[in-house]
């Protein structure tokens, strides 16, 4: 393939700016620093450990993804954050209880140096946290201008040439999409009127896009998944991705559901429950906040199973999702799935999954990859929805009118093929007929 995409080199520092200095973001920060010191491995990160085959299977060409395309190196990443709690990254990491004392001591000075700027807060959207570190702004427009100034200040303070933003803040209460989010003009009017419909995450989104900073939403909160902010991203030529990280139980759904459909096995019901004890779990204990998470966790099955095409197999299945706050568990989330399936002649069977995972350990490498791929998109001068990054999200975005793809393996193929094309290599289809010559003739 001859048409290699022109992409500028990742020269200088990359500022990774994160609204929400919590367990996920501090685990990411500590892990990056430990990897830089040679004291930890970035397991779970495609950008650091993933590879891509190039050409035919017989060519023997396999390269690391960060050699296939020019990605920023770990040594060049600097972190900035906002939060509504007055704690530095070390204090948050200790409170979160994700990492061992040994790991925390090795990065203590580094984490203590990451102090959040005051966050934008609306207690109607986050009810379970007593905020003590919030901006004194009175209107949405004032908050946006303060956030834009923070972005400029972060770049100076971190000596960064470029910046990306990945939201990792607490889950906000769910509300049906207001009319003000359906067009950019309506959204601008709502900002001017200081509408209560505008959530804090949307203000960070608007500020980032207006500053030309690529943006991703790792939460279920209303953000770039809305028509108004997608319109703004295209207008300002900014790359955006989201929504809600696909890290644990939903990742398993996007693995198991494609297997059921591939084998044409029926589904009668899928019951999913979680117990979680960190701050995310406490916030999700609010039913209005859980509703936002439920929407993204529940959306994947219909898209994968396509009940409209296979009504005999998938038209009437039951799907239940619940999350329970259980403080003793901390960040060690446990997910239980009971899957009732149907086989030959309608005989019932079951699959049971007990996923004993670590929430932030799974999520941190995803945030790293998202940040580095957003930076690549910026240097490629790509704008708007980055569907090729769907691999990372429970509720990924696609161009209006396009069905969203949730199958994890199709998403991974899409991601790697995108990088191949950027590098001027042929995408891989796995067809393989050319290996067999006259044994498998396509025509006679």
């Amino acid at each position: 393939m001859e048409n290699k995409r022109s992409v500028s080199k990742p020269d200088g520092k990359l500022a990774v700016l994160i609204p929400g200095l919590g367990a996920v973001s501090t685990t990411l920060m500590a892990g990056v620093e430990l990897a830089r010191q040679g004291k930890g491995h970035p397991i779970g990160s495609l950008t650091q450990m993933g590879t891509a085959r190039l050409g035919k299977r017989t060519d023997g060409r396999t390269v690391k993804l960060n050699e296939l395309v020019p990605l920023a190196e770990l040594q060049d990443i600097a972190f900035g954050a906002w939060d509504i709690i007055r704690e530095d990254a070390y204090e948050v990491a200790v409170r979160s209880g994700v990492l061992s004392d040994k790991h925390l001591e090795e990065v203590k000075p580094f984490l203590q140096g990451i102090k959040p700027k005051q966050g934008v807060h609306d207690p109607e959207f986050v009810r379970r946290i007593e905020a003590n570190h919030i901006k004194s702004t009175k209107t949405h427009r004032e908050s946006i201008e303060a956030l834009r100034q923070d972005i400029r200040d972060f770049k100076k303070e971190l000596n960064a040439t470029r910046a990306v933003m990945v939201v990792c803040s607490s889950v906000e209460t769910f509300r049906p999409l207001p009319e003000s989010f359906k067009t950019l003009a309506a959204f601008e009017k709502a900002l001017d009127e200081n509408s209560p419909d505008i959530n804090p995450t949307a203000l960070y989104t608007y500020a980032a896009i207006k500053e030309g900073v690529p943006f991703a939403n790792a939460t279920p909160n209303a953000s770039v998944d809305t028509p108004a902010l997608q319109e703004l991203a295209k207008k300002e030529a900014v790359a955006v991705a989201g929504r809600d990280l696909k890290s644990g139980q939903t990742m398993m759904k996007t693995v198991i559901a494609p297997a059921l459909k591939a084998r044409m096995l029926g589904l009668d019901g899928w019951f999913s429950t979680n117990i979680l004890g960190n701050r995310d779990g406490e916030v999700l204990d609010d039913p209005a906040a859980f509703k936002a998470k439920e929407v993204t966790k529940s959306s994947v099955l219909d898209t994968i199973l396509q009940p409209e095409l296979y009504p005999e197999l998938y038209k009437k299945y039951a799907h239940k999702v619940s999350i329970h706050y259980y403080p003793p568990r901390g960040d060690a989330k446990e997910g239980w799935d009971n899957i009732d399936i149907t086989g030959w002649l309608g005989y019932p069977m079951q699959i049971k999954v007990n996923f004993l995972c670590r929430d932030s350990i799974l999520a941190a490498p995803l945030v790293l990859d998202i940040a580095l791929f957003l930076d690549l998109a910026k240097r490629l001068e790509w704008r708007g929805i980055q569907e090729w990054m769907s691999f990372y999200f429970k509720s990924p975005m696609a161009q209006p009118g396009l069905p969203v793809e949730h199958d994890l393996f199709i998403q991974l193929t899409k991601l790697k093929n995108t990088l191949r094309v950027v590098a001027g290599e042929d995408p891989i289809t796995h067809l393989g007929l050319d290996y067999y010559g006259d044994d498998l003739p396509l025509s006679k």
Side-chain angles (χ1 to χ4, degrees):
M1 193 170 181
E2 298 290 328
N3 56 338
K4 182 176 181 177
R5 281 8 180 216
S6 175
V7 53
S8 60
K9 294 181 179 180
D11 293 328
K13 293 275 187 188
L14 172 65
V16 177
L17 307 181
I18 305 178
L21 188 62
V24 171
S25 49
T26 55
T27 302
L28 163 68
M29 294 166 182
V32 167
E33 180 62 13
L34 286 164
R36 290 193 288 219
Q37 294 179 16
K39 296 176 180 177
H41 298 289
I43 296 170
S45 167
L46 275 179
T47 61
Q48 304 308 302
M49 307 193 78
T51 64
R53 192 192 95 206
L54 304 180
K56 295 183 177 182
R57 279 182 274 168
T58 50
D59 292 343
R61 297 173 61 212
T62 297
V63 299
K64 293 190 69 174
L65 296 185
N66 56 15
E67 296 170 354
L68 180 62
V69 293
L71 299 177
E73 296 184 1
L74 294 188
Q75 298 294 340
D76 294 327
I77 292 175
F79 293 104
W82 293 265
D83 204 86
I84 59 174
I85 300 295
R86 191 184 295 108
E87 293 176 320
D88 64 39
Y90 178 74
E91 292 173 303
V92 174
V94 170
R95 172 173 55 77
S96 298
V98 179
L99 302 175
S100 68
D101 291 344
K102 178 177 183 295
H103 274 150
L104 287 175
E105 284 305 306
E106 288 174 327
V107 294
K108 182 176 180 178
F110 169 75
L111 292 178
Q112 287 177 324
I114 301 174
K115 303 180 188 300
K117 295 188 185 296
Q118 291 175 331
V120 174
H121 180 56
D122 182 342
E124 290 302 312
F125 282 95
V126 179
R127 301 172 181 171
R128 296 296 176 97
I129 296 177
E130 291 295 327
N132 61 17
H133 190 60
I134 60 178
K135 294 191 182 301
S136 59
T137 50
K138 303 299 183 185
T139 68
H140 292 328
R141 290 291 187 187
E142 288 178 8
S143 295
I144 288 167
E145 287 309 310
L147 291 172
R148 293 183 67 176
Q149 186 59 52
D150 285 346
I151 293 170
R152 299 179 204 122
D153 291 343
F154 270 131
K155 289 178 72 175
K156 290 179 182 177
E157 293 161 8
L158 300 173
N159 194 27
T161 59
R162 311 176 314 287
V164 298
M165 185 183 293
V166 184
V167 171
C168 297
S169 56
S170 295
V171 178
E172 297 168 346
T173 55
F174 175 79
R175 299 181 183 185
L177 185 68
E179 288 296 320
S180 56
F181 279 80
K182 293 182 179 178
T183 68
L184 181 55
F187 189 81
E188 297 278 8
K189 184 173 183 289
L191 289 177
D192 292 333
E193 295 174 350
N194 211 38
S195 168
D197 290 337
I198 307 294
N199 56 314
T201 300
L203 298 178
Y204 284 99
T205 311
Y206 187 96
I209 292 172
K210 292 296 282 187
E211 284 297 308
V213 172
F215 178 94
N217 179 20
T219 76
N221 305 337
S223 178
V224 285
D225 58 301
T226 62
L229 292 167
Q230 289 177 3
E231 186 180 344
L232 180 66
K234 289 193 72 172
K235 178 183 175 183
E236 300 291 335
V238 173
V240 294
R243 140 193 193 205
D244 203 3
L245 292 181
K246 180 166 59 184
S247 56
Q249 188 175 60
T250 307
M251 177 190 71
M252 297 304 296
K253 284 186 178 177
T254 62
V255 172
I256 296 171
L260 297 179
K261 190 174 80 168
R263 288 288 305 272
M264 288 288 102
L265 294 171
L267 178 66
D268 293 327
W270 199 310
F271 181 87
S272 300
T273 191
N274 301 263
I275 55 175
L276 177 63
N278 60 14
R279 192 164 82 176
D280 193 28
E282 182 179 7
V283 170
L284 289 170
D285 205 35
D286 177 357
F290 169 68
K291 180 64 178 177
K293 178 69 76 172
E294 182 182 32
V295 168
T296 59
K297 287 176 77 71
S298 302
S299 63
V300 302
L301 290 183
D302 268 4
T303 311
I304 293 173
L305 297 174
Q306 299 175 290
E308 70 282 2
L309 296 181
Y310 307 101
E312 304 95 332
L313 299 175
Y314 308 121
K315 194 65 175 179
K316 297 181 180 179
Y317 68 85
H319 188 196
K320 174 68 176 177
V321 178
S322 63
I323 298 176
H324 302 280
Y325 177 49
Y326 182 57
R329 191 52 56 94
D331 200 67
K333 182 167 68 175
E334 183 167 357
W336 296 312
D337 286 89
N338 177 82
I339 311 161
D340 288 286
I341 65 174
T342 302
W344 184 252
L345 302 178
Y347 282 86
M349 296 177 282
Q350 288 187 339
I351 300 171
K352 296 186 185 295
V353 180
N354 184 199
F355 192 5
L356 296 155
C357 62
R358 296 176 182 269
D359 201 39
S360 299
I361 294 297
L362 289 173
L366 306 187
V367 178
L368 173 62
D369 286 356
I370 290 165
L372 296 184
F373 283 141
L374 280 179
D375 180 53
L376 174 67
K378 171 74 170 180
R379 288 181 283 110
L380 283 163
E381 299 182 357
W382 288 356
R383 65 177 184 171
I385 296 168
Q386 306 297 300
E387 188 189 351
W388 61 281
M389 293 174 62
S390 296
F391 177 79
Y392 295 102
F393 300 103
K394 286 189 182 76
S395 185
M397 302 184 299
Q399 197 74 0
L402 285 180
V404 174
E405 182 57 67
H406 281 285
D407 183 315
L408 187 74
F409 302 105
I410 293 176
Q411 290 175 334
L412 181 60
T413 298
K414 182 189 292 286
L415 188 153
K416 289 190 176 183
N417 273 340
T418 300
L419 300 181
R420 291 182 180 105
V421 170
V422 167
E425 297 285 344
D426 289 323
I428 289 180
T429 66
H430 302 287
L431 183 61
L433 292 181
D434 53 331
Y435 297 117
Y436 295 91
D438 292 339
D439 291 342
L440 301 175
L442 287 173
S443 62
K444 293 184 179 180

